[in-house]
PDB file of all heavy atoms in Angstrom:
ATOM      1  N   SER A 253      -8.266  -1.390 -22.499  1.00  0.00           N
ATOM      2  CA  SER A 253      -8.757  -2.778 -22.919  1.00  0.00           C
ATOM      3  C   SER A 253      -9.050  -3.704 -21.817  1.00  0.00           C
ATOM      4  O   SER A 253     -10.004  -4.344 -21.779  1.00  0.00           O
ATOM      5  CB  SER A 253      -7.716  -3.353 -23.880  1.00  0.00           C
ATOM      6  OG  SER A 253      -8.041  -4.621 -24.257  1.00  0.00           O
ATOM      7  N   LEU A 254      -8.192  -3.683 -20.814  1.00  0.00           N
ATOM      8  CA  LEU A 254      -8.420  -4.536 -19.563  1.00  0.00           C
ATOM      9  C   LEU A 254      -9.751  -4.108 -18.910  1.00  0.00           C
ATOM     10  O   LEU A 254     -10.522  -5.026 -18.464  1.00  0.00           O
ATOM     11  CB  LEU A 254      -7.196  -4.319 -18.574  1.00  0.00           C
ATOM     12  CG  LEU A 254      -5.925  -5.082 -18.859  1.00  0.00           C
ATOM     13  CD1 LEU A 254      -4.904  -4.715 -17.872  1.00  0.00           C
ATOM     14  CD2 LEU A 254      -6.249  -6.594 -18.888  1.00  0.00           C
ATOM     15  N   ALA A 255      -9.988  -2.828 -18.787  1.00  0.00           N
ATOM     16  CA  ALA A 255     -11.139  -2.326 -18.173  1.00  0.00           C
ATOM     17  C   ALA A 255     -12.359  -2.827 -18.876  1.00  0.00           C
ATOM     18  O   ALA A 255     -13.342  -3.222 -18.327  1.00  0.00           O
ATOM     19  CB  ALA A 255     -11.135  -0.770 -18.078  1.00  0.00           C
ATOM     20  N   GLN A 256     -12.320  -2.736 -20.231  1.00  0.00           N
ATOM     21  CA  GLN A 256     -13.446  -3.095 -21.093  1.00  0.00           C
ATOM     22  C   GLN A 256     -13.620  -4.629 -21.045  1.00  0.00           C
ATOM     23  O   GLN A 256     -14.737  -5.130 -20.851  1.00  0.00           O
ATOM     24  CB  GLN A 256     -13.288  -2.611 -22.550  1.00  0.00           C
ATOM     25  CG  GLN A 256     -14.263  -3.022 -23.420  1.00  0.00           C
ATOM     26  CD  GLN A 256     -15.664  -2.314 -23.202  1.00  0.00           C
ATOM     27  OE1 GLN A 256     -15.674  -1.126 -22.987  1.00  0.00           O
ATOM     28  NE2 GLN A 256     -16.731  -3.050 -23.291  1.00  0.00           N
ATOM     29  N   ASP A 257     -12.553  -5.307 -21.333  1.00  0.00           N
ATOM     30  CA  ASP A 257     -12.726  -6.885 -21.471  1.00  0.00           C
ATOM     31  C   ASP A 257     -12.883  -7.605 -20.201  1.00  0.00           C
ATOM     32  O   ASP A 257     -13.693  -8.505 -20.087  1.00  0.00           O
ATOM     33  CB  ASP A 257     -11.440  -7.413 -22.228  1.00  0.00           C
ATOM     34  CG  ASP A 257     -11.268  -6.836 -23.649  1.00  0.00           C
ATOM     35  OD1 ASP A 257     -12.240  -6.273 -24.110  1.00  0.00           O
ATOM     36  OD2 ASP A 257     -10.104  -6.958 -24.110  1.00  0.00           O
ATOM     37  N   GLN A 258     -12.176  -7.235 -19.167  1.00  0.00           N
ATOM     38  CA  GLN A 258     -12.206  -7.912 -17.902  1.00  0.00           C
ATOM     39  C   GLN A 258     -13.354  -7.421 -16.936  1.00  0.00           C
ATOM     40  O   GLN A 258     -13.896  -8.175 -16.139  1.00  0.00           O
ATOM     41  CB  GLN A 258     -10.906  -7.943 -17.187  1.00  0.00           C
ATOM     42  CG  GLN A 258      -9.711  -8.417 -17.967  1.00  0.00           C
ATOM     43  CD  GLN A 258      -9.941  -9.873 -18.234  1.00  0.00           C
ATOM     44  OE1 GLN A 258     -10.272 -10.630 -17.388  1.00  0.00           O
ATOM     45  NE2 GLN A 258      -9.541 -10.295 -19.444  1.00  0.00           N
ATOM     46  N   LEU A 259     -13.612  -6.090 -16.964  1.00  0.00           N
ATOM     47  CA  LEU A 259     -14.468  -5.510 -15.988  1.00  0.00           C
ATOM     48  C   LEU A 259     -15.774  -4.957 -16.613  1.00  0.00           C
ATOM     49  O   LEU A 259     -16.743  -4.557 -15.929  1.00  0.00           O
ATOM     50  CB  LEU A 259     -13.814  -4.425 -15.273  1.00  0.00           C
ATOM     51  CG  LEU A 259     -12.487  -4.687 -14.625  1.00  0.00           C
ATOM     52  CD1 LEU A 259     -11.769  -3.502 -14.136  1.00  0.00           C
ATOM     53  CD2 LEU A 259     -12.680  -5.707 -13.497  1.00  0.00           C
ATOM     54  N   GLY A 260     -15.911  -4.922 -17.918  1.00  0.00           N
ATOM     55  CA  GLY A 260     -17.088  -4.367 -18.604  1.00  0.00           C
ATOM     56  C   GLY A 260     -17.261  -2.876 -18.447  1.00  0.00           C
ATOM     57  O   GLY A 260     -18.340  -2.419 -18.498  1.00  0.00           O
ATOM     58  N   ILE A 261     -16.181  -2.177 -18.237  1.00  0.00           N
ATOM     59  CA  ILE A 261     -16.234  -0.736 -17.980  1.00  0.00           C
ATOM     60  C   ILE A 261     -15.818  -0.023 -19.284  1.00  0.00           C
ATOM     61  O   ILE A 261     -14.731  -0.218 -19.819  1.00  0.00           O
ATOM     62  CB  ILE A 261     -15.306  -0.246 -16.886  1.00  0.00           C
ATOM     63  CG1 ILE A 261     -15.774  -0.908 -15.469  1.00  0.00           C
ATOM     64  CG2 ILE A 261     -15.276   1.268 -16.777  1.00  0.00           C
ATOM     65  CD1 ILE A 261     -14.883  -0.702 -14.369  1.00  0.00           C
ATOM     66  N   ASN A 262     -16.771   0.746 -19.794  1.00  0.00           N
ATOM     67  CA  ASN A 262     -16.444   1.502 -20.971  1.00  0.00           C
ATOM     68  C   ASN A 262     -15.936   2.866 -20.733  1.00  0.00           C
ATOM     69  O   ASN A 262     -16.688   3.766 -20.304  1.00  0.00           O
ATOM     70  CB  ASN A 262     -17.738   1.629 -21.946  1.00  0.00           C
ATOM     71  CG  ASN A 262     -17.493   2.248 -23.178  1.00  0.00           C
ATOM     72  OD1 ASN A 262     -16.345   2.638 -23.541  1.00  0.00           O
ATOM     73  ND2 ASN A 262     -18.573   2.491 -23.969  1.00  0.00           N
ATOM     74  N   LEU A 263     -14.600   3.127 -20.927  1.00  0.00           N
ATOM     75  CA  LEU A 263     -13.982   4.390 -20.565  1.00  0.00           C
ATOM     76  C   LEU A 263     -14.352   5.512 -21.550  1.00  0.00           C
ATOM     77  O   LEU A 263     -14.224   6.599 -21.210  1.00  0.00           O
ATOM     78  CB  LEU A 263     -12.538   4.193 -20.389  1.00  0.00           C
ATOM     79  CG  LEU A 263     -12.158   3.377 -19.179  1.00  0.00           C
ATOM     80  CD1 LEU A 263     -10.617   3.106 -19.150  1.00  0.00           C
ATOM     81  CD2 LEU A 263     -12.441   4.161 -17.895  1.00  0.00           C
ATOM     82  N   SER A 264     -14.747   5.159 -22.730  1.00  0.00           N
ATOM     83  CA  SER A 264     -15.046   6.106 -23.691  1.00  0.00           C
ATOM     84  C   SER A 264     -16.246   7.044 -23.439  1.00  0.00           C
ATOM     85  O   SER A 264     -16.353   8.088 -24.078  1.00  0.00           O
ATOM     86  CB  SER A 264     -15.133   5.494 -25.110  1.00  0.00           C
ATOM     87  OG  SER A 264     -16.294   4.608 -25.090  1.00  0.00           O
ATOM     88  N   SER A 265     -16.991   6.552 -22.496  1.00  0.00           N
ATOM     89  CA  SER A 265     -18.222   7.318 -22.132  1.00  0.00           C
ATOM     90  C   SER A 265     -17.856   8.656 -21.385  1.00  0.00           C
ATOM     91  O   SER A 265     -18.701   9.633 -21.350  1.00  0.00           O
ATOM     92  CB  SER A 265     -19.150   6.555 -21.272  1.00  0.00           C
ATOM     93  OG  SER A 265     -18.586   6.346 -19.905  1.00  0.00           O
TER      94      SER A 265
END
Side-chain angles (χ1 to χ4, degrees):
S253 177
L254 283 174
Q256 177 70 44
D257 298 342
Q258 303 294 322
L259 306 172
I261 297 173
N262 182 4
L263 292 171
S264 64
S265 70

